[in-house]
Amino acid sequence: MAHPVDPETAVGQEAFELDPAHLRIVEALLFAAAQPVDERSLAAALPPQTNVGAVLTELQRQYEPRGVNLVRVAGKWQFRTAKDLGFLLSKQAVEERKLSRAAIETLAIIAYHQPVTRAEIEDIRGVMVSKGTVDALMEVGWVRIRGRRRTPGRPVTYGTTEAFLVHFGLENIADLPGVEELKGAGFLDAVPPAGFSVPSPSDALGPDEDPYEGDEADLLAPPEESPAADG
Amino acid sequence: MAHPVDPETAVGQEAFELDPAHLRIVEALLFAAAQPVDERSLAAALPPQTNVGAVLTELQRQYEPRGVNLVRVAGKWQFRTAKDLGFLLSKQAVEERKLSRAAIETLAIIAYHQPVTRAEIEDIRGVMVSKGTVDALMEVGWVRIRGRRRTPGRPVTYGTTEAFLVHFGLENIADLPGVEELKGAGFLDAVPPAGFSVPSPSDALGPDEDPYEGDEADLLAPPEESPAADG
Amino acid sequence: MMDPEFESAESFEAAPIAPEEALIIEVDGFEGPLDLLLALARNQKVDIAKISVLQLADQYLAFMESARRKRLELAADYLVMAAWLTYFKSRLVLPQAAPVGEPGAEEMAALLRWRLARLQAMRDAAARIMARDRMGRDVFPRGEPEPVQVIRTRKYSDTMYDLLTAYSRERVRVLGHRVYEMVRPPILLIEEARERIERMLGKIPSWSLLTRFLPPDWTSGAKRRSAIASMFSAALELTRDGKLELRQMAPFGEIFLKDRTEKAGEQTT
C-alpha cells in the first residue's frame, strides 16, 4: 500500500522555536547569493538580537537529508548539491560565447545572400574574408557548403544549415526579414543608403549552382530527416 | 513494490508512493540549474516510469511556505526566491534597461496578439512603429520573429520568447493577465466589427488575411546534401 | 443644422469643451492621432464606450487647426484621422446622404470608440504585465548555479538580434561609402505621391479632398503646387488601376478621391 512522504524529512514540517520568517529570509539570501555569505551579512537582514547561528544550524539540519545541503566554507555559508548526488553535475561548466564581429557579419551575409561564394562575400563586405572565418562557422555547424557555382574555377557556394535555423529560431530561411521589415523593426534607418536591397534567401539550388559532390566521401552523409522546427 | 500510479487517482492525491531519493534528485537538479528545467530533462535523471509530475507537485508543496519556492514558468520548473522577500534582495537586482512607453505598449500588443505583424501593431497603436521599439524588444530577448503571414507581401510575424515568460513568471501565453476578458471583449480579434472602414497609418488587417499556420511546405526545399559541418 | 436625433444623443453627455481649452495639449507629447484622441477622450471623464465622438472630433479638428497655424509639422497619420473625422461630421449632418454600403455616423462613432477602448485595454494590459513579480527585480534565481548534466547548454549566445544588427550595420557601412548628398529641388516625385496614397489605401473615407493628403511641409508655395500636381497624377494612375475613384464637381473645382480597394479586398481570397 502506498504511504505518504514521511513528514519528518519534509522541509518546513518541523516544529521549531525559531521564527520561521527568519529561516525564510536566510534561506532566500543564501539561495540568491552569487558567493558564500558570512553571518554578519545575514544578520544585517534580520531583526537585531536574532540568533543567526541558531537560524543557520536549524536550516542546516532541515536540509541535511535533502538533495541540497547548507554547508560552511571558509567561515561563510552556501547551498551546495549533496555530495552523493555529484554524479548529476557535469565536470565542466560550458561558458557561453559570442561570435566575433567578423564572424557574425560573415554569417549574416551568408544567410541573406546564399548561395554565395567567398569572393562574393568579400565583394559585399568590402574586405578580405579569411578562410578561417568561414571554416569556423562551418565548425559551429551553422554554415555548410551547398554546391558549386557554374563559373570558371567552379567555386564552392555557402549556405546555412538546419542547426542555424534552430539556433536563431527560424522556421524557414525565407523568414529572414526584408528591407521594409528591417526598417520597421528599427534595425535600419528610415532612409537606407542608396543601392540598399536585401535578397530573398532560399534553400533551393540556384540556377547557376550545381549540388556539391564533396571532395571527400565522408562529407556525404545520408540525407537528413524532415527538419523539425523545435526550439 | 512500486506499481504504476493510476493517473486518475494520482491527480490531486498525495497518497501514492514517492521515493525520497527521487525528490532529492529533482531538488538537486532544479537547485543547481539557474534556468528553468523541463520535465523531460528531469525524467532523464530518474528511473524509467517515475511519475515526474507527482515528484514536482510534492516538492512544490514542501517548498510553498519557505523562502525559496518551486514555480512553473514557460512550461518548465524553477526555484525562485519567494515573492514577498524581493525587498531583501535589492542588492542582487540587475540594472534593467529602461524601455520606452512605446516599446512597453508594443510588447503587450505582441504578447496578447501573437503572431502579429507590424501593420497590426500599428493599427492598434494608431502610429507607425519607430526605431527602438521592436528592435529594442528583440535585444532584451523578449520578442522574436515567429514566421511570415500567408498574405500578399508575406509580412513577418512577431511573438514573445521563453525569456519573456520566465522574466514575468508566466506559465504560458494563456496565463497572461486579463487575457480572457480581452478575448471576451473582442479586443484580441484581428479585425474590428465587420463593415467598418478604419483610419490607420498603415495597412490594416484585411478580411482576406489568414492566421499564420506554421511553415509553408512549398518553401521548404528538401535538403540537397547533408550539412558538411559539425562532424 | 444637426440631425435632431443625434443632437439629443450627444447632449446627454458632458458639455463640449471650448476648442481653446483643448489646445493646451502639445503635439510633442503624443504618439500619433489615436493617442491624442485617447487623451482627449479621457478629458470627457466618461466610460470610453459612452464617449461623445462628435465632441472628440471637434476637439481633434481644433487641435489640428491650431497646429496648422503654428506651422507644426504633423505626420500624415494625423491628416488621415482628420479627414476621417471630418467625414464623420458630414455623415452626422447628412445621415440620409450616406451612399449604399458606406458606414453611417453611428457606425463610425462605434468604430472609433472601439478602437480607443482597445488601445486603452492594451495599455492597461501592458501595465499589468510590467507590474508582475519580475525575475531579477522581485524574484531571484539561484545566484550560484552549478553545471548540470541533463541540461543542454548552448555554446554560443548569439541571437537573431545580433544577426540582424550585424547585417544591417555591415551593409550600411559598405554602401555608405558610395552615397552622396543631393540637393532636392522642390518637386514631389510622382512615385513618392503614389506611394503616399497607396499607404493610405484602405483607410480613406468616402470622398475626401485630394488636398487633405498633401505631405506635411508641402502645403504652401511652389512645394504645394508640385505636390498637388504629383498627387493628382498619382491618383490618376491609381484610378486607372482601379484602386481609386476621382471626382471633380466643376471645372477648376476641388478634386475628391475615394478608395475602391476596400471592396476589392473583401472579395479576393
Side-chain angles (χ1 to χ4, degrees):
Chain A
M1 204 38 218
H3 40 91
V5 176
D6 181 2
E8 276 303 303
T9 60
V11 175
Q13 307 281 316
E14 319 267 291
F16 42 77
E17 307 126 56
L18 292 160
D19 187 341
H22 298 166
L23 289 178
R24 289 181 81 235
I25 288 171
V26 171
E27 194 173 31
L29 283 172
L30 288 170
F31 174 84
Q35 58 265 310
V37 187
D38 59 31
E39 292 183 17
R40 217 178 35 194
S41 307
L42 296 169
L46 295 169
Q49 315 305 329
T50 310
N51 186 342
V52 185
V55 171
L56 284 162
T57 309
E58 173 58 18
L59 263 188
Q60 192 171 34
R61 197 187 63 76
Q62 289 180 8
Y63 275 95
E64 199 259 310
R66 305 196 66 96
V68 176
N69 303 149
L70 183 56
V71 297
R72 198 186 159 101
V73 277
K76 298 180 178 184
W77 295 85
Q78 104 189 115
F79 278 119
R80 299 301 297 175
T81 304
K83 280 232 170 65
D84 63 314
L85 296 178
F87 67 93
L88 294 169
L89 304 177
S90 42
K91 309 282 166 290
Q92 248 161 6
V94 182
E95 198 69 37
E96 278 209 350
R97 281 182 285 170
K98 272 200 175 226
L99 292 177
S100 71
R101 187 171 162 147
I104 187 99
E105 280 171 8
T106 302
L107 176 65
I109 301 283
I110 291 173
Y112 268 98
H113 296 258
Q114 63 186 296
V116 65
T117 67
R118 191 145 69 90
E120 288 160 358
I121 299 171
E122 291 180 344
D123 187 48
I124 296 165
R125 295 197 57 206
V127 290
M128 294 289 281
V129 173
S130 77
K131 190 164 183 307
T133 305
V134 180
D135 285 349
L137 290 170
M138 287 179 61
E139 191 141 326
V140 176
W142 290 344
V143 163
R144 66 190 169 111
I145 296 176
R146 294 174 43 134
R148 288 186 183 277
R149 179 75 25 96
R150 264 182 241 131
T151 50
R154 296 180 43 77
V156 294
T157 52
Y158 296 98
T160 49
T161 62
E162 185 63 31
F164 167 86
L165 295 180
V166 170
H167 181 94
F168 288 96
L170 289 173
E171 289 203 16
N172 195 301
I173 195 66
D175 288 349
L176 278 174
V179 181
E180 281 310 311
E181 289 149 345
L182 286 172
K183 270 199 275 179
F187 288 99
L188 279 176
D189 286 332
V191 188
F196 192 98
S197 67
V198 171
S200 316
S202 162
D203 284 344
L205 215 57
D208 59 350
E209 194 185 15
D210 288 329
Y212 185 68
E213 267 127 42
D215 300 324
E216 291 148 338
D218 61 288
L219 283 173
L220 268 179
E224 276 185 311
E225 284 163 54
S226 62
D230 199 321
Chain B
M1 270 243 329
H3 23 224
V5 179
D6 181 359
E8 284 298 308
T9 60
V11 180
Q13 283 197 16
E14 275 153 46
F16 51 81
E17 222 165 334
L18 280 177
D19 188 337
H22 298 167
L23 286 179
R24 290 183 80 233
I25 286 173
V26 171
E27 187 175 37
L29 283 173
L30 288 171
F31 237 82
Q35 70 295 48
V37 185
D38 61 31
E39 292 183 16
R40 212 175 43 184
S41 301
L42 296 170
L46 296 170
Q49 315 301 331
T50 309
N51 185 342
V52 186
V55 170
L56 286 161
T57 307
E58 173 59 18
L59 263 187
Q60 192 172 36
R61 194 187 64 75
Q62 292 181 7
Y63 274 92
E64 200 253 307
R66 305 198 64 99
V68 173
N69 303 146
L70 182 55
V71 295
R72 197 185 161 98
V73 281
K76 304 180 178 185
W77 295 85
Q78 183 182 34
F79 274 119
R80 301 179 158 193
T81 56
K83 288 173 182 181
D84 62 316
L85 298 178
F87 70 98
L88 285 170
L89 298 154
S90 47
K91 255 180 266 170
Q92 266 92 357
V94 279
E95 191 58 47
E96 201 178 281
R97 214 184 112 180
K98 191 111 174 68
L99 288 172
S100 67
R101 198 187 83 172
I104 290 169
E105 218 169 280
T106 301
L107 174 65
I109 292 169
I110 291 174
Y112 285 88
H113 288 80
Q114 61 188 305
V116 64
T117 68
R118 181 167 56 91
E120 289 157 9
I121 298 167
E122 292 178 343
D123 180 57
I124 293 167
R125 299 196 60 232
V127 69
M128 305 287 266
V129 173
S130 60
K131 198 165 163 56
T133 310
V134 176
D135 58 331
L137 292 170
M138 282 178 74
E139 188 176 11
V140 185
W142 292 345
V143 160
R144 67 188 169 101
I145 292 172
R146 283 183 58 141
R148 283 182 185 276
R149 175 114 352 121
R150 234 187 258 217
T151 51
R154 300 182 41 76
V156 161
T157 55
Y158 296 97
T160 50
T161 61
E162 184 179 313
F164 166 82
L165 297 176
V166 171
H167 183 92
F168 292 98
L170 296 162
E171 257 191 57
N172 53 48
I173 288 305
D175 196 21
L176 281 166
V179 71
E180 284 308 318
E181 296 110 85
L182 287 168
K183 212 181 274 174
F187 289 135
L188 302 187
D189 294 339
V191 280
F196 291 121
S197 88
V198 189
S200 131
S202 61
D203 332 276
L205 184 66
D208 59 335
E209 282 197 346
D210 293 328
Y212 180 71
E213 276 155 19
D215 72 41
E216 302 203 6
D218 55 326
L219 281 165
L220 260 185
E224 300 91 47
E225 70 220 35
S226 67
D230 206 7
Chain C
M1 183 81 198
M2 215 190 292
D3 176 62
E5 242 183 77
F6 260 93
E7 191 174 32
S8 62
E10 296 285 346
S11 59
F12 252 97
E13 297 155 5
I17 298 169
E20 289 73 27
E21 280 179 67
L23 297 185
I24 47 172
I25 288 161
E26 289 296 322
V27 71
D28 303 351
F30 290 98
E31 282 192 84
L34 219 51
D35 189 24
L36 170 58
L37 279 170
L38 192 53
L40 293 171
R42 275 201 295 257
N43 278 350
Q44 291 190 18
K45 293 190 171 66
V46 289
D47 187 349
I48 289 174
K50 296 181 186 121
I51 211 88
S52 160
V53 174
L54 174 63
Q55 185 181 326
L56 212 51
D58 284 338
Q59 287 177 328
Y60 184 93
L61 295 171
F63 173 85
M64 292 294 289
E65 176 59 23
S66 98
R68 194 189 61 78
R69 276 203 304 271
K70 292 182 195 155
R71 299 184 179 279
L72 286 176
E73 273 198 31
L74 289 177
D77 314 342
Y78 286 90
L79 300 173
V80 173
M81 182 61 81
W84 191 85
L85 289 170
T86 307
Y87 179 66
F88 163 74
K89 286 186 70 179
S90 75
R91 284 272 72 85
L92 205 55
V93 174
L94 301 165
Q96 72 280 9
V100 180
E102 282 179 15
E106 270 173 285
E107 275 177 300
M108 293 181 75
L111 174 64
L112 187 64
R113 285 193 198 100
W114 185 81
R115 289 197 72 197
L116 290 172
R118 179 175 64 171
L119 181 59
Q120 186 61 54
M122 291 321 296
R123 284 193 179 163
D124 295 343
R128 287 170 77 179
I129 291 180
M130 298 314 276
R132 287 183 67 86
D133 290 310
R134 290 160 62 181
M135 182 59 88
R137 192 190 70 173
D138 309 297
V139 293
F140 296 84
R142 175 86 186 271
E144 202 179 4
E146 298 163 86
V148 170
Q149 272 182 344
V150 292
I151 295 152
R152 252 185 314 136
T153 35
R154 303 192 320 167
K155 213 167 149 197
Y156 289 92
S157 57
D158 299 79
T159 62
M160 181 58 101
Y161 174 82
D162 298 319
L163 189 75
L164 299 181
T165 304
Y167 186 72
S168 306
R169 174 184 66 208
E170 172 72 358
R171 295 293 315 283
V172 168
R173 181 183 65 78
V174 173
L175 289 167
H177 294 309
R178 302 170 197 164
V179 171
Y180 59 95
E181 275 299 313
M182 191 178 73
V183 182
R184 275 191 57 175
I187 289 173
L188 184 71
L189 299 176
I190 294 179
E191 291 88 324
E192 289 172 322
R194 188 182 163 111
E195 200 184 284
R196 187 174 168 78
I197 300 177
E198 272 174 335
R199 237 174 32 85
M200 299 175 184
L201 285 180
K203 294 138 247 170
I204 302 175
S206 186
W207 296 121
S208 306
L209 269 177
L210 176 70
T211 49
R212 282 209 168 270
F213 299 102
L214 298 186
D217 197 30
W218 289 81
T219 49
S220 63
K223 289 179 90 179
R224 179 182 164 90
R225 283 197 295 280
S226 166
I228 291 179
S230 298
M231 293 290 281
F232 179 58
S233 308
L236 282 177
E237 285 183 17
L238 288 163
T239 304
R240 180 197 61 205
D241 298 348
K243 293 177 179 162
L244 280 183
E245 260 179 73
L246 285 175
R247 184 185 284 174
Q248 191 177 28
M249 300 305 209
F252 305 107
E254 286 284 7
I255 293 159
F256 293 82
L257 54 83
K258 179 171 177 256
D259 199 333
R260 294 195 56 186
T261 55
E262 212 198 341
K263 247 181 242 154
E266 276 164 12
Q267 282 158 5
T268 50
T269 52

